[in-house]
Amino acid sequence: MLHRLLSGDLPRSRILTGVLLAILAGLALAPFLFSGARPLNTAATICIYIVLVASYDLLLGYTGIVSFAHTMFYGIGAYGVGLALARVDEPTWGVVVTGLVLALMLALALALVVGLFALRVRAIFYAMITLAVASSFAVLASQLSDLTGGEDGVTFSVPEVLSPSFLLFENEVFGRYVDGKVITYYLVFAGCLLLFLFLLRLVNSPFGRVLQAIRENEFRAEALGYRTMVYRIWANCLAALVAALAGALMALWLRYVGPKTSLGFEVMTDILLIVVIGGMGTMYGAVIGATLFILAQNYLKELMAHGSTALEGVPLLAAALHPDRWMLWLGVLFILSIYFFPVGIVGKLRVRAWLARR
Amino acid sequence: MSAILPASKADPQADAPLPAARRDIAPLLLVPALMLVMLPLVGSFPTWLTLTVAGLAMGMMIFIMASGLTLVFGLMSVLNFGHGAFVAVGAFSATLVLLPMRGWLEMDSLLVNLGVLALAVTLAMVVTGLLGWAFERIIVKPVYGQHLKQILITMGGMIVAEQLIHVIWGAETIALPLPTALRGAILMGDAAVEKYRLVAVVVGLVVFIAMFLVLNRTKIGLLVRAGVENGEMVEALGYRIRRLFVAVFAAGSALAGLGGVMWGLYKETLTAAMGSEIMVMIFIVIIIGGLGSVGGCFIGALLMALVANYAGFLAPKIALVSSIILMISVLLWRPAGLYSNSRS
């Protein structure tokens, strides 16, 4: 059963299994384990980032495509749901679905066009073209303020079941009222779990094996008779659709869409960092990486603030430990990890477990 | 594409001169053609002149920033995603001279102004040149030949550099004053042309001509061009191509620094994120020009800036995506860019 659920791709390392189970339990029980809005927000962000990063890993880690347009698709999903809900007086599920379907269609069309246009060329060329396309899309979204709310973005209301004023039960359940926020959290959690399992299924299917073959040696894969172009475009479209779904969940959770949270270049660099640090080409890397990253983003900053105040007298070091500079240390970690453990945390753990078994 | 391949194979007559590559002039005509077509569309000559000069100035600055990147790519097949960071570092380094010497900049003497500017530019170029040298040694060197890792690691370098700018210069935007003598506009008939833009055009032309001469008339240029064509062969002939790599990388970075100072003065404000913003423009330009081609880069930069300026005047909504439209149309015409060496 478990074997089939995970598509035969088990963690293959005892430590990894333990950490993954801890993360799963933590995310599944987050509303009841922690109190307050911030931990729940952190947990939801982790869920969504896991899917977003895993879908990017389908491109980068499994197929060897470097794309900088992934946030564009993420943003399309978020804006699709957000703008649809902002347009109507009465937020219903029908509106959510309509917005989502429109967004998915746009994402698919764009992924096809970008893919057809640029996937014929080398990795470097594709990376540059997607960067250019994604950044003009972001400019468009922030400049067409009549449609998208510009830099400020749009806040909107969600269907009643998901709104914070909705209560499922009269009484507290395990010390917490099950309100719309908790329901939304479980919607996000379940959606992300399904999407993640889908991606796991995908990469362990024959299709996923072909993608890995393309990553390892495209020429050889082509010589075996696989039409690599078609596979690459499929990978591109699937990754785009999953990213758009993740964006839609993010919009429902935040009840807000704006260029900073969904289209910004920072989001793209976050995804890149997470994939590499977690481990390219391992779906579980996305889980570990996203969890570590979001926790660090939310809690490491406080630690750094302490360090910064402790080093007040030292001019540059205090500035380097300023909480806003946490990306500096992550960037250094990123470069070091490309050199010294290119397989990422998950790859490292698996290699260790494999060596121990021998 | 076939036009740049040698016209014939082995020549039986040893005395006959080598077959020269045929000149491919169609891209050269694009810029003047675009200017001419836009004249009736814009309508009034003074407006057209202002727009054109603005476009040329912007294009020259983008060329200065992009040329180093395209040269580095052509020579070592390294696409440095951190190139934008050099632009930002250059601009910020210039503030070390320009801000303390603000008094000198406000004097009404062209010579004093230019002297201070020259000092700032020199400092910026030295800093970015050294940074480029270190970047090549520390970050790029271990990953030659691995494109995926190159992209990732230079992105990482860009993130770190951007954060270091924050650490050193603080997180606020810095206002960069334009020297008094370069402020204001010159009236040419009815058209007002900003002085600084003229300066930018002149500097851009000087850099382009200097690069052209170095690449085509000196031995180093010969080696660089030969390295772009076939690095292994140059190495087999006994030249240390590694040294050439480092030197070109540092020179390209220094050019980025120069471009950064000029761009900073053009925009008059500096943010650490300017690097990643400019990166997008630079990429579009070198894609249009054809990866690795300096001449293509020059034409691409001018085309992009002119199109952006004309579109901004004629159809502001389209201006937002004008560069993408330009890129797509050029790639439909020539899939590998205006001038491409057949390898890429």
Side-chain angles (χ1 to χ4, degrees):
Chain A
M1 172 65 190
L2 187 66
H3 198 76
R4 288 198 54 181
L5 205 60
L6 297 183
S7 314
D9 189 1
L10 298 170
R12 295 207 303 278
S13 154
R14 210 165 277 161
I15 305 172
L16 184 59
T17 316
V19 175
L20 285 173
L21 282 177
I23 292 173
L24 181 69
L27 289 178
L29 300 174
F32 302 104
L33 286 178
F34 315 101
S35 58
R38 195 168 157 211
L40 200 58
N41 200 22
T42 310
T45 315
I46 291 176
C47 288
I48 292 163
Y49 263 63
I50 287 175
V51 171
L52 183 62
V53 171
S55 64
Y56 189 68
D57 197 26
L58 181 68
L59 289 180
L60 181 67
Y62 282 90
T63 326
I65 299 172
V66 189
S67 161
F68 282 95
H70 211 61
T71 46
M72 178 169 84
F73 300 117
Y74 178 64
I76 287 174
Y79 270 98
V81 169
L83 294 184
L85 282 173
R87 282 296 133 99
V88 292
D89 301 324
E90 181 79 14
T92 59
W93 287 105
V95 177
V96 175
V97 172
T98 316
L100 184 61
V101 169
L102 286 177
L104 288 178
M105 277 158 55
L106 178 62
L108 187 65
L110 267 177
L112 259 178
V113 170
V114 173
L116 280 176
F117 209 91
L119 274 177
R120 302 167 167 278
V121 293
R122 296 183 309 171
I124 263 179
F125 217 68
Y126 187 69
M128 288 158 69
I129 289 184
T130 50
L131 184 63
V133 170
S135 71
S136 13
F137 193 85
V139 169
L140 216 55
S142 64
Q143 295 296 316
L144 297 178
S145 43
D146 304 342
L147 182 68
T148 61
E151 286 290 342
D152 299 333
V154 191
T155 50
F156 48 87
S157 44
V158 287
E160 205 216 328
V161 187
L162 303 182
S163 63
S165 54
F166 178 85
L167 273 185
L168 191 60
F169 306 112
E170 285 292 313
N171 301 317
E172 294 186 355
V173 181
F174 297 115
R176 182 158 193 142
Y177 285 109
V178 182
D179 56 3
K181 206 68 189 165
V182 174
I183 298 175
T184 317
Y185 177 76
Y186 278 110
L187 177 74
V188 168
F189 176 76
C192 290
L193 192 64
L194 280 179
L195 284 172
F196 182 77
L197 289 177
F198 166 71
L199 285 172
L200 206 57
R201 175 73 267 185
L202 197 67
V203 295
N204 289 295
S205 66
F207 174 78
R209 295 283 176 260
V210 179
L211 294 188
Q212 285 165 354
I214 293 173
R215 174 193 68 192
E216 292 304 326
N217 191 332
E218 184 173 359
F219 183 72
R220 214 175 276 176
E222 188 130 38
L224 285 173
Y226 293 108
R227 293 172 64 196
T228 52
M229 254 295 278
V230 177
Y231 278 89
R232 277 148 57 105
I233 288 176
W234 263 108
N236 210 29
C237 291
L238 285 169
L241 288 178
V242 175
L245 285 169
L249 287 175
M250 193 61 165
L252 281 180
W253 172 255
L254 289 177
R255 284 175 280 140
Y256 161 82
V257 282
K260 275 262 151 39
T261 53
S262 54
L263 289 169
F265 191 61
E266 288 82 11
V267 183
M268 195 63 237
T269 49
D270 291 354
I271 298 175
L272 259 178
L273 294 180
I274 297 173
V275 168
V276 171
I277 292 174
M280 283 187 277
T282 59
M283 281 291 152
Y284 296 115
V287 180
I288 306 264
T291 310
L292 274 181
F293 186 88
I294 304 291
L295 284 181
Q297 191 173 37
N298 280 291
Y299 298 102
L300 182 75
K301 284 183 180 175
E302 283 167 26
L303 207 68
M304 287 177 65
H306 288 301
S308 185
T309 28
L311 288 168
E312 198 111 46
V314 194
L316 278 185
L317 208 56
L321 281 177
H322 188 276
D324 287 348
R325 296 288 79 76
W326 74 292
M327 274 296 272
L328 172 67
W329 302 104
L330 220 70
V332 173
L333 180 66
F334 176 76
I335 294 176
L336 291 178
S337 67
I338 292 177
Y339 285 150
F340 297 113
F341 59 122
V343 285
I345 297 173
V346 168
K348 202 78 180 170
L349 285 175
R350 281 181 167 175
V351 168
R352 239 182 75 171
W354 183 74
L355 287 177
R357 267 203 299 277
R358 288 212 316 163
Chain B
M1 284 214 287
S2 60
I4 53 166
L5 291 174
S8 64
K9 288 182 212 116
D11 203 306
Q13 292 158 297
D15 297 338
L18 285 170
R22 253 197 297 157
R23 304 248 172 217
D24 181 11
I25 57 160
L28 288 177
L29 299 175
L30 278 178
V31 174
L34 179 72
M35 289 183 191
L36 282 180
V37 168
M38 284 300 155
L39 181 54
L41 282 180
V42 171
S44 86
F45 180 76
T47 320
W48 176 83
L49 188 64
T50 311
L51 284 176
T52 307
V53 173
L56 287 178
M58 191 175 148
M60 293 292 182
M61 284 186 270
I62 297 174
F63 164 70
I64 295 175
M65 294 185 268
S67 56
L69 186 65
T70 203
L71 205 57
V72 165
F73 179 83
L75 185 64
M76 357 178 168
S77 176
V78 168
L79 190 68
N80 179 9
F81 272 70
H83 198 76
F86 296 146
V87 172
V89 168
F92 274 86
S93 307
T95 62
L96 293 179
V97 172
L98 293 180
L99 292 184
M101 302 181 87
R102 195 185 284 262
W104 296 63
L105 286 179
E106 278 160 11
M107 278 186 207
D108 215 5
S109 144
L110 182 65
L111 264 185
V112 175
N113 284 179
L114 285 185
V116 175
L117 260 192
L119 194 64
V121 164
T122 315
L123 178 76
M125 288 180 76
V126 169
V127 169
T128 48
L130 285 175
L131 186 71
W133 179 78
F135 204 80
E136 202 272 350
R137 289 278 118 158
I138 299 169
I139 300 207
V140 184
K141 195 178 166 195
V143 291
Y144 272 116
Q146 306 166 45
H147 278 163
L148 182 74
K149 279 194 173 176
Q150 274 172 14
I151 295 176
L152 294 178
I153 214 154
T154 49
M155 274 293 302
M158 165 122 144
I159 294 170
V160 172
E162 202 174 302
Q163 295 294 323
L164 280 177
I165 290 178
H166 279 309
V167 170
I168 298 172
W169 281 281
E172 290 85 32
T173 51
I174 297 179
L176 204 58
L178 201 57
T180 315
L182 298 181
R183 256 183 240 154
I186 303 174
L187 280 180
M188 291 185 180
D190 290 336
V193 174
E194 281 180 39
K195 286 183 199 165
Y196 184 66
R197 290 184 173 154
L198 287 179
V199 176
V201 171
V202 171
V203 175
L205 274 179
V206 167
V207 169
F208 178 64
I209 292 169
M211 259 181 110
F212 185 81
L213 289 180
V214 169
L215 280 176
N216 287 299
R217 296 276 184 278
T218 65
K219 185 165 176 197
I220 291 181
L222 183 73
L223 284 177
V224 171
R225 279 185 301 135
V228 170
E229 284 304 320
N230 191 340
E232 276 176 32
M233 181 60 82
V234 176
E235 202 157 29
L237 289 173
Y239 293 100
R240 287 207 218 156
I241 199 147
R242 291 274 329 145
R243 274 197 193 166
L244 202 63
F245 279 14
V246 185
V248 170
F249 204 100
S253 312
L255 278 175
L258 168 64
V261 181
M262 295 177 67
W263 190 254
L265 285 168
Y266 185 65
K267 291 273 168 191
E268 300 197 55
T269 49
L270 298 183
T271 58
M274 69 189 282
S276 43
E277 286 158 21
I278 289 167
M279 211 53 218
V280 175
M281 281 197 296
I282 293 178
F283 278 162
I284 295 178
V285 161
I286 66 175
I287 291 173
I288 292 176
L291 290 175
S293 156
V294 174
C297 174
F298 185 67
I299 296 174
L302 293 184
L303 270 183
M304 190 187 100
L306 283 171
V307 166
N309 269 285
Y310 291 136
F313 177 76
L314 292 171
K317 288 278 178 209
I318 297 178
L320 299 173
V321 283
S322 65
S323 334
I324 292 289
I325 297 175
L326 176 72
M327 182 176 85
I328 291 174
S329 6
V330 168
L331 290 184
L332 285 176
W333 177 42
R334 294 196 169 181
L338 294 176
Y339 288 114
S340 68
N341 37 23
S342 43
R343 289 185 306 139
S344 49

